[in-house]
Amino acid sequence: MKKYISFAIFPVLAGCTEIPNDTTLEKAFYSAALSSKASTVLSVDNFAKVSGYKKYDQYIAEVSYDIRFLQNQESHKIKEDTRDSGLGLHALSIEYGHYKEGDISSNQQQVIFIKTRSGWQVKA
């Protein structure tokens, strides 16, 4: 009887320890970047997970990536509604100053991923 109970519990415990693989994190990261209001101004390339750990129902990853600017800063106006988005145009201006089309910025930061019904996503 004890053998049956331990086998029945194993799948439940295995589901609790799910850790997203690097490809899953990369897809979630690129998806978040493409859905950003700044996606017309920049692209994100060369994503790599540096390290990561599971904490409760989240996965915290240290990631590196490059931002490539697709247009000059003067080519667009900074709107009020972009100030609150993580990759908003206002945030870009503050963080990167004057940028030109083709400029590349290498970045490394901690990103929180959450498990949803449709898979892992970047926490907004």
Side-chain angles (χ1 to χ4, degrees):
M1 181 70 172
K2 289 182 183 177
K3 289 182 183 178
Y4 296 118
I5 293 172
S6 65
F7 285 122
I9 292 174
F10 179 72
V12 173
L13 293 177
C16 295
T17 60
E18 180 185 354
I19 295 175
N21 63 34
D22 292 2
T23 302
T24 301
L25 295 177
E26 182 176 11
K27 286 179 183 176
F29 189 79
Y30 283 133
S31 176
L34 286 173
S35 66
S36 165
K37 293 177 182 178
S39 64
T40 59
V41 178
L42 60 84
S43 68
V44 177
D45 302 307
N46 303 320
F47 174 90
K49 181 183 90 171
V50 177
S51 63
Y53 58 94
K54 182 129 168 120
K55 184 175 182 181
Y56 306 113
D57 60 342
Q58 301 177 341
Y59 187 77
I60 291 89
E62 185 75 20
V63 301
S64 66
Y65 59 94
D66 293 336
I67 289 178
R68 183 170 42 88
F69 292 96
L70 303 174
Q71 51 183 279
N72 293 328
Q73 184 177 17
E74 296 86 19
S75 299
H76 60 273
K77 291 185 178 181
I78 297 170
K79 299 177 183 175
E80 290 292 324
D81 65 342
T82 63
R83 291 183 184 206
D84 295 327
S85 74
L87 292 175
L89 303 178
H90 181 72
L92 291 174
S93 295
I94 291 171
E95 178 135 3
Y96 300 104
H98 183 78
Y99 52 85
K100 299 179 300 237
E101 180 179 352
D103 283 355
I104 295 174
S105 173
S106 295
N107 300 275
Q108 186 166 328
Q109 73 179 63
Q110 194 175 72
V111 179
I112 299 172
F113 295 86
I114 56 172
K115 178 74 172 180
T116 67
R117 289 183 182 162
S118 57
W120 288 93
Q121 296 180 352
V122 173
K123 183 176 181 181

